[in-house]
Amino acid sequence: MITVTAKGKTYVANEAGEPLDVRNIISDDFFSENGERFQIKHARSAGTAIAQSQTDAAIIAAPTDSSTYYLILSMFLMADADTAVSLGSKIAAEATVVKGGPYPLAANGGFERGFKPHGYFRCAAGAALVMTTGAGGNTTYEFDYVELPINIDFPE
């Protein structure tokens, strides 16, 4: 996967240079309903894919403050071979709570959910975002998320 930035837009393309996705986030600011401002953070695989058949591979490490949680605002997944990916919320040695998926991915294909102001799902307070991959393909990813205190609640 190749990433090229031009004039504030990020183009994600396959090796042949064909555009697969255009992301355009106007601001890195996220405002709660009561006007509190938070910074949108980004997690991306940066060239290192999550290998096939992985269970609970850490995508976003658990927050240092256990009274905060992650709200996932957008996501992009891409695989080099047919596979399925599930996302979950995990606190240390506790069982993983599945939050999304399984998302079936075709070879050299992707899955995208664009920016959603109230998010697609949230991790539990103090939990990491983890990915479980199926047999077949390595998965690259990109997520936009915000870390919020537990007193700001977004329903799932």
Side-chain angles (χ1 to χ4, degrees), residues 12 17-18 35 47 53 62 75 90 96 108-109 112 121 127 149:
V12 179
E18 298 171 3
S53 303
M75 65 178 109
K90 184 167 182 68
T96 300
N108 298 315
E112 177 189 16
F121 62 87

Side-chain angles (χ1 to χ4, degrees), residues 37-53:
R37 179 179 171 188
F38 299 91
Q39 181 181 9
I40 295 175
K41 299 177 182 181
H42 312 283
R44 49 182 65 116
S45 49
T48 303
I50 302 297
Q52 63 179 318
S53 303

